[in-house]
Amino acid sequence: MSPEELLAFASRNLMLSLALAGLTVAIAWVEVTRLFRGYKSLRPGELSALVNREDALVVDLSPINDYQKGHIAGSKSVQPSQFDPENKLLAKARSLPVVVVCANGMGAGNAARRLVKAGFERVYVLDGGIQAWRQADMPLVKGRG
């Protein structure tokens, strides 16, 4: 298709062309922000490997009732309102991998950004949170942990 034909199509289908341009810009924006956010997303299997190989610290931001119903073995429960990168639990792990987990993967990003801003070197978020962990049939521990 020649450039003239593309321009003719775009002028005949203005709304469709604008929608395509808008979607292209939105996708590019999401990908660029993902590159510069300072932390990485992990799938459940990758988290398990990181904990086993590199002794990663898993910080669970789930509400305490949800945490007690089921959490990742070895994870530490921290309530979002009490989350502080300078906390003694976290300060010791500044050079270790730190993985932030929440119920569904939506709330962990803010905490991860705070860790990156505080100088933590290796920060991760469990993509999909505990919900994704369950869907992957990974084991959960009940109780206080």
Side-chain angles (χ1 to χ4, degrees):
M1 193 175 263
S2 71
E4 294 82 22
E5 291 174 317
L6 284 175
L7 285 174
F9 176 82
S11 65
R12 285 191 310 267
N13 300 287
L14 187 59
M15 294 303 285
L16 184 62
S17 299
L18 289 174
L20 176 62
L23 286 172
T24 301
V25 168
I27 291 169
W29 175 259
V30 167
E31 291 304 315
V32 167
T33 56
R34 187 182 309 219
L35 286 173
F36 294 105
R37 67 185 178 187
Y39 63 88
K40 297 178 182 173
S41 295
L42 294 175
R43 292 185 300 266
E46 294 170 322
L47 169 57
S48 182
L50 191 64
V51 168
N52 291 334
R53 274 188 273 124
E54 300 185 47
D55 198 29
L57 172 64
V58 180
V59 178
D60 193 325
L61 301 176
S62 301
I64 195 69
N65 291 338
D66 291 346
Y67 180 83
Q68 290 177 351
K69 289 178 186 174
H71 58 272
I72 297 169
S75 65
K76 305 298 179 198
S77 176
V78 177
Q79 296 309 295
S81 62
Q82 298 173 341
F83 181 81
D84 180 10
E86 300 305 321
N87 176 302
K88 65 181 179 181
L89 167 76
L90 293 172
K92 291 187 274 185
R94 201 170 284 274
S95 62
L96 289 175
V98 178
V99 183
V100 185
V101 177
C102 65
N104 58 14
M106 302 300 285
N110 288 334
R113 278 189 288 282
R114 288 179 63 190
L115 290 172
V116 169
K117 191 174 182 180
F120 284 74
E121 298 168 13
R122 299 174 58 205
V123 180
Y124 302 88
V125 169
L126 177 60
D127 195 23
I130 294 295
Q131 188 175 35
W133 187 265
R134 276 192 180 103
Q135 289 173 346
D137 289 327
M138 301 296 272
L140 291 171
V141 178
K142 295 182 191 251
R144 291 185 181 223

